[in-house]
Amino acid sequence: MEEQGRELITPEIEKRQHRRARLITEVKCEAMDRDEVLVTRDVSVGGIFVTTKKPFPLNSKVALDFSLGPGQPSISCRGKVVYSMQDLGMGIEFSELNEETHLSIEKFVDEAL
């Protein structure tokens, strides 16, 4: 799992509540009797975007396992698919994120500036 670089993602029309940072790394996603290793595109304290040709349906509950970079501890958490588009990927909103993990992701995004 290698990090390809960090930069703040800010589209012209931003509807999201949280700032996002580019994060290109492997993420293990488990849902609906599927256990897949996919690739992330970006992360925020609110969630993560995962690229995949066959995303899980909206509202699917997902177990995630990923790292913010080489040598960083693994983050295991749960989430819910809030955006799903065939051939593009899925946006997963974090749930049950503990304070330590929240702070780690917040620091990662802040340092992307």
Side-chain angles (χ1 to χ4, degrees):
M1 291 192 271
E2 286 188 20
E3 182 180 338
Q4 298 292 322
R6 293 193 221 179
E7 62 187 53
L8 197 62
I9 311 284
T10 46
E12 288 182 34
I13 301 173
E14 183 60 66
K15 297 178 183 177
R16 293 167 184 84
Q17 293 180 329
H18 307 286
R19 291 176 302 133
R20 298 174 295 149
R22 181 174 302 279
L23 174 65
I24 310 296
T25 192
E26 291 181 344
V27 59
K28 182 178 177 185
C29 296
E30 295 179 42
M32 302 175 54
D33 294 326
R34 287 167 50 190
D35 186 357
E36 301 180 11
V37 176
L38 303 169
V39 177
T40 63
R41 184 175 77 188
D42 56 57
V43 67
S44 77
V45 294
I48 196 163
F49 189 87
V50 178
T51 57
T52 178
K53 291 191 178 287
K54 296 182 180 180
F56 300 123
L58 282 176
N59 297 314
S60 297
K61 304 290 185 198
V62 183
L64 302 167
D65 192 7
F66 65 98
S67 173
L68 294 173
Q72 296 294 314
S74 179
I75 293 174
S76 295
C77 62
R78 297 198 173 277
K80 177 177 81 170
V81 176
V82 293
Y83 177 83
S84 182
M85 179 165 277
Q86 192 72 24
D87 296 323
L88 180 62
M90 57 188 163
I92 300 171
E93 182 179 87
F94 294 135
S95 58
E96 303 173 28
L97 202 61
N98 67 41
E99 183 69 18
E100 182 180 346
T101 301
H102 179 92
L103 290 173
S104 294
I105 294 171
E106 186 174 58
K107 182 177 186 240
F108 177 86
V109 173
D110 287 346
E111 290 176 353
L113 295 172

